Structure formats: structure tokens, C-alpha cells
Amino acid sequence: MVEVIRRSDDQKGFEVLPRRWVVERTFGWMTRWRRLVRDYEQRIDVSHAMILVAMGPNLIRRNAHP
């Protein structure tokens, strides 16, 4: 479920958005894979498969070291 969080009108300056760091961390993990840094794929299913391949070692590492 994707939830869009908008800035309030009375907000001034920087304010930490809830759970934003989770998304930024995941993008950081994915950009370790050179192929995911740019959008090289022509088909969306191939792009989806590359993301799964890139995140696979992360999931294996989490399951191996609880």
C-alpha cells in the first residue's frame, strides 16, 4: 500500500517524513547493482526480474543471520 504524504501549508524548513528512510535505504541497496543504476531494460517484466535478483542476496543474508 503506497501512501503519499504531502507537506502541510504551515510547515517551514525541513521535517522528517515518516518511514522515508526505509525507501531511501532500499534504493541505496539496489544501486549497488550497476544494471539498476540506469533504466536499461526495455520491458517492465525484465526490470522487475532484475530488482528481484538484486534484492535476493539481501533476503538470504537476513534469513541466514536472524
Side-chain angles (χ1 to χ4, degrees), residues 12-55:
K12 287 188 176 183
F14 177 77
E15 185 177 319
V16 178
L17 298 175
R19 302 285 294 177
R20 170 81 182 239
W21 63 273
V22 174
V23 175
E24 297 295 333
R25 178 192 64 190
T26 306
F27 286 155
W29 287 338
M30 287 193 307
T31 56
R32 287 186 203 160
W33 286 70
R34 187 167 186 250
R35 193 167 182 145
L36 295 176
V37 173
R38 301 281 183 258
D39 191 19
Y40 292 120
E41 311 304 333
Q42 296 291 323
R43 295 177 18 202
I44 192 71
D45 59 334
V46 176
S47 181
H48 181 256
M50 287 297 141
I51 291 171
L52 294 178
V53 168
M55 297 308 287

